[in-house]
Amino acid sequence: MSSQIPAQPASAKALLPLALFLALFLGTGIYFQSEGVEYAFYQLPSPVAILPAIALGILLSKQAFEERIATFVAGVGDSNIVTMCMIYLLAGAFSTVAEATGGVDAMVALGLGIIPASFLLPGLFIIAGVISTAMGTSMGTLAALAPVALGIGEATDISLPLLAGVLVSGAMFGDNLSIISDTTIAATRTQGCSMRDKFKANLKISIPAAIITLLWLVSYDTSNAPLNIPEANLWLCIPYFAIIVLAVMGLNVFAVLGLGIVLAAAFGMVAVDYQWVKFSQDIYDGFSSMQEIFLLSLLIGGLSGLIRQQGGLAFLAKAVEAVTSRLSKHKQRSSALGVAGLTSLTNLCVANNTVSILLAGEVSARLAKKGNLAARQSASLLDIFACVVQGVLPYGAQALLMGASFGISPLSVSIHTGYCFILGAVALVIIVWRKPLEDRIPEQTEAVT
């Protein structure tokens, strides 16, 4: 992201608004957790939690009041922020329309129809991964598959925490790769790279981790487990697969999502008598489903503008660089470790992978540029380590949802999310021990500083 308003020298004081936001968000979550409230860390909406931080950022500024507001508005209106928000709306519309026409049921039925009972746990991991990649949401995937997995668990002696952990693992695998996931959108826009390039960079780390996970899951004997396959029209899977193929081919994301919405509606009108009026309503419902992340992205853009102008982001970048340079003398490796560590720490605080990427994105872009790290690599590491931490957090939305659905402790769910632990380990091994990461490729990047 960029701003035409000159920044002040590096200053730790400028980070106080960010600290206030994290304190409010984390403190409220801890309080509600101690009170036994479900989804404790989601009781205070993040767009509301950031408002006092914005007010503090404006008060700390040394500019004239009108210039302070101009700085905030410039951050809100940054081209990367606005583009990201428009993609959120289209992704929400596609997800809602495809689900309304029966696409989710079709994806579940397709997956369950092709896996044998003896391959149940690896199969559930793959199904969750495919559905999450297609839908772009780990939460939507878990909501669709939880009843299926719970039925399997109740009819067999398979551990419910293990089943829940396998579903979360697969859902996070797909969410990390999906081109319509809000994490992918945030990572690519903040780092200035294409979704196709980020997707390819992710595969180099995610696939080895997935293979190790599958080998682990194969060791469990599930040959006696029953499979109840729901009835669905499998033709409704086509829009999901279409957007994956089009995205990998490099088609512009706006075109991909636009075509996906049209395809989902067209197949629905043919297969289930989907009506035009319902189509328009579902598009709007999809827009509404992205309201929180849409507003938060705009507000974080404005807050980042204030913090940047006051020298906070420069200070944070120098601090992270100083720490990681002690871990590795190679600039690219230390930059990669900085991106990974900053994202992980932020996600531990806010328990939301998309928010953590938005908060860490600009500093990560600065670290990547200074360390000559390719934008696709920094985007991939942002998304991967946000995925790792989110998947293993017992107070994350995924563990809370599966804990509530299965009637088990969220901690027992997070302990069994093997893929997330393996993904983190594989990513660190690749960062530390492989040959230096390839040079930054200017043609792939946009202005991000």
Side-chain angles (χ1 to χ4, degrees), residues 120-168:
L120 179 60
L121 291 179
L124 285 175
F125 173 79
I126 293 172
I127 292 169
V130 171
I131 293 175
S132 188
T133 301
M135 292 179 65
T137 165
S138 58
M139 292 296 286
T141 299
L142 295 175
L145 290 177
V148 177
L150 180 59
I152 292 173
E154 291 175 342
T156 65
D157 59 356
I158 300 177
S159 163
L160 288 181
L162 176 60
L163 278 172
V166 169
L167 288 188
V168 173

Side-chain angles (χ1 to χ4, degrees), residues 123-421:
L124 285 175
F125 173 79
I126 293 172
I127 292 169
V130 171
I131 293 175
S132 188
T133 301
M135 292 179 65
T137 165
S138 58
M139 292 296 286
T141 299
L142 295 175
L145 290 177
V148 177
L150 180 59
I152 292 173
E154 291 175 342
T156 65
D157 59 356
I158 300 177
S159 163
L160 288 181
L162 176 60
L163 278 172
V166 169
L167 288 188
V168 173
S169 293
M172 297 308 292
F173 168 73
D175 186 57
N176 179 229
L177 291 175
S178 176
I179 63 99
I180 62 171
S181 167
D182 48 6
T183 58
T184 293
I185 295 167
T188 53
R189 295 311 304 179
T190 58
Q191 303 309 294
C193 72
S194 72
M195 292 187 176
R196 178 179 63 174
D197 289 337
K198 181 262 186 187
F199 178 82
K200 291 179 178 178
N202 267 32
L203 285 178
K204 295 177 182 179
I205 301 175
S206 299
I207 293 301
I211 291 173
I212 296 172
T213 302
L214 290 173
L215 292 174
W216 163 57
L217 294 176
V218 166
S219 66
Y220 290 91
D221 181 13
T222 59
S223 56
N224 295 322
L227 289 179
N228 296 317
I229 304 173
E231 294 184 4
N233 187 332
L234 298 184
W235 288 103
L236 295 173
C237 295
I238 292 179
Y240 283 114
F241 291 118
I243 66 166
I244 296 174
V245 172
L246 291 173
V248 173
M249 290 172 59
L251 190 64
N252 179 276
V253 64
F254 287 99
V256 170
L257 291 172
L259 288 172
I261 293 169
V262 172
L263 280 175
F267 275 85
M269 290 174 183
V270 172
V272 294
D273 194 28
Y274 191 54
Q275 300 296 318
W276 282 103
V277 172
K278 185 67 165 62
F279 177 40
S280 63
Q281 293 172 344
D282 285 337
I283 289 178
Y284 184 74
D285 287 342
F287 290 169
S288 300
S289 71
M290 291 291 179
Q291 174 178 304
E292 181 172 353
I293 192 62
F294 182 96
L295 293 174
L296 181 63
S297 296
L298 293 176
L299 295 174
I300 283 182
L303 180 61
S304 295
L306 290 168
I307 295 175
R308 182 195 314 112
Q309 191 277 327
Q310 295 170 40
L313 295 182
F315 174 85
L316 185 57
K318 288 182 178 179
V320 172
E321 183 183 7
V323 172
T324 54
S325 63
R326 297 175 184 174
L327 301 176
S328 174
K329 297 302 181 183
H330 194 283
K331 286 186 177 181
Q332 289 183 334
R333 189 169 290 123
S334 63
S335 293
L337 289 171
V339 172
L342 182 61
T343 309
S344 300
L345 179 61
T346 306
N347 208 109
L348 282 170
C349 293
V350 300
N352 185 301
N353 45 348
T354 306
V355 175
S356 69
I357 291 172
L358 289 171
L359 290 173
E362 187 163 347
V363 173
S364 295
R366 288 171 179 261
L367 291 171
K369 183 177 181 181
K370 191 164 186 178
N372 206 29
L373 182 67
R376 63 183 180 276
Q377 296 287 353
S378 59
S380 174
L381 292 173
L382 266 175
D383 205 346
I384 282 174
F385 281 92
C387 164
V388 167
V389 175
Q390 185 68 25
V392 304
L393 280 182
Y395 52 88
Q398 290 76 11
L400 293 173
L401 173 62
M402 295 308 294
S405 299
F406 281 35
I408 57 179
S409 164
L411 178 60
S412 68
V413 177
S414 62
I415 289 174
H416 288 85
T417 55
Y419 168 76
C420 295
F421 290 102

